[in-house]
Amino acid sequence: MPRRPRIQLAGLPTHLVQRGINREPCFFAEEDYHCYLHWLQKSTADWNCTIHAYVLMTNHVHLLISAERNEGPAKLMQSLGRRYVQYINRAYKRSGSLWEGRYKSSVVQAETYLLACMRYIELNPVRSGMVADPAHYRWSSYRHNGLGQADARLTAHPLYHSLGRGAEGRRATYRVLFRAEVDDEAIGDIRLALAQSQPLGDTRFAERICARGYGVPMPGEGRGEGKRDERDWRTNRIWSLRRKREMKMNVMLTPLVFHASNDIGWRIVA
């Protein structure tokens, strides 16, 4: 089956995932994490990208970035992957590939999924049973976004700034979002969008992106009768459920006023 074309759009957040080959480890010692983060910062600067969230797991990584140029995410991942693999091969006297195929990517509609995607990324260590609280995991952006620990690699997305008037107010509102796990429907949407290289957002967003000439069909389209597979069935099912949810609400985020501080935050309603 031919690969689905990537959607790469400047200015829109993009969720990127890269896994170790055969799901084997890609980090073996503490120094490896530091090295990856060093090259991540260097590569984002080289290709005019900004990082909003990340997590480095034992055998895979998640990044949420925005780029000034359409080719920015691809160039970033090529540069970062090449530099890190060279380091690992030298350090551990190995050869060959470290990564499993090409990385996965999904363009994210900020208004509906950005905060859910950030939570999904930073809660990975909790879902994996490695820690009980995301603050206990060193190799993610949560300590910066939720606790204010300095991390020069990160740039806040404008939607994050809307969480409160001051830095502490924003962090407090962000921490409130982590009192509950990301709901199963949102997790399913995020994972399927990555697996299918589909845009992550409401149906209007996806239709607008797919109509811009990127060769990416809407779910279930473009194969003809008798050519749909299990992935198409799952995609259609999730998009059908998503459309039903959207009929009940216009957006997945609604304003929430914190009367004590008069700050404006956001409440996840789906």
Side-chain angles (χ1 to χ4, degrees):
M1 180 182 298
R3 291 177 174 178
R4 292 179 182 268
R6 293 195 191 280
I7 301 174
Q8 300 183 127
L9 294 173
L12 293 182
T14 302
H15 183 188
L16 305 167
V17 179
Q18 192 160 39
R19 298 187 181 278
I21 191 167
N22 297 323
R23 306 220 169 192
E24 294 177 358
C26 45
F27 300 99
F28 305 93
E30 181 173 320
E31 183 59 29
D32 302 341
Y33 294 92
H34 288 296
C35 182
Y36 186 94
L37 291 174
H38 167 75
W39 288 121
L40 174 62
Q41 185 173 12
K42 181 69 167 61
S43 297
T44 52
D46 289 345
W47 297 105
N48 302 114
C49 299
T50 54
I51 309 170
H52 310 306
Y54 69 84
V55 67
L56 311 186
M57 302 295 285
T58 305
N59 64 357
H60 68 284
V61 300
H62 288 261
L63 306 174
L64 183 63
I65 72 166
S66 294
E68 293 183 8
R69 294 183 288 175
N70 288 351
E71 69 274 19
K75 295 295 186 181
L76 164 67
M77 296 304 286
Q78 290 169 6
S79 173
L80 174 60
R82 182 175 61 253
R83 287 164 160 170
Y84 184 68
V85 170
Q86 289 174 352
Y87 156 77
I88 288 292
N89 286 350
R90 286 196 306 267
Y92 296 98
K93 296 180 172 55
R94 66 183 298 277
S95 62
S97 178
L98 180 69
W99 306 115
E100 184 176 76
R102 66 178 193 162
Y103 66 90
K104 297 184 181 299
S105 66
S106 174
V107 174
V108 178
Q109 183 182 25
E111 297 81 7
T112 57
Y113 274 97
L114 183 97
L115 294 176
C117 198
M118 293 176 70
R119 293 165 65 219
Y120 174 81
I121 289 171
E122 294 174 352
L123 283 170
N124 253 262
V126 177
R127 283 195 301 275
S128 298
M130 300 173 73
V131 294
D133 188 294
H136 299 159
Y137 193 73
R138 295 176 59 191
W139 313 110
S140 88
S141 52
Y142 179 79
R143 291 185 179 185
H144 175 84
N145 290 325
L147 304 177
Q149 179 176 300
D151 190 334
R153 290 170 287 269
L154 293 165
T155 301
H157 188 275
L159 188 61
Y160 177 89
H161 281 296
S162 72
L163 293 176
R165 291 183 177 178
E168 184 50 45
R170 289 190 287 271
R171 291 193 290 268
T173 304
Y174 191 74
R175 291 194 297 271
V176 169
L177 298 178
F178 282 76
R179 291 178 182 173
E181 232 313 358
V182 184
D183 66 82
D184 290 340
E185 288 181 330
I187 289 176
D189 288 349
I190 291 169
R191 288 176 175 171
L192 188 63
L194 284 167
Q196 297 287 325
S197 297
Q198 292 281 356
L200 178 64
D202 61 28
T203 51
R204 287 187 179 182
F205 175 76
E207 288 165 356
R208 188 167 66 249
I209 296 300
C210 293
R212 290 177 64 173
Y214 292 93
V216 179
M218 285 292 292
E221 296 178 354
R223 288 179 180 267
E225 284 299 319
K227 294 185 179 180
R228 296 179 182 176
D229 58 17
E230 178 69 14
R231 293 189 305 175
D232 287 318
W233 181 87
R234 291 184 63 243
T235 303
N236 284 331
R237 180 175 179 274
I238 287 182
W239 279 69
S240 177
L241 292 173
R242 188 183 299 176
R243 288 189 180 98
K244 290 179 181 178
R245 296 206 307 269
E246 290 167 11
M247 290 175 67
K248 299 179 181 179
M249 63 190 75
N250 292 327
V251 294
M252 294 184 67
L253 299 173
T254 58
L256 175 66
V257 178
F258 293 90
H259 297 287
S261 62
N262 202 31
D263 284 343
I264 300 295
W266 295 93
R267 175 168 58 92
I268 303 295
V269 299

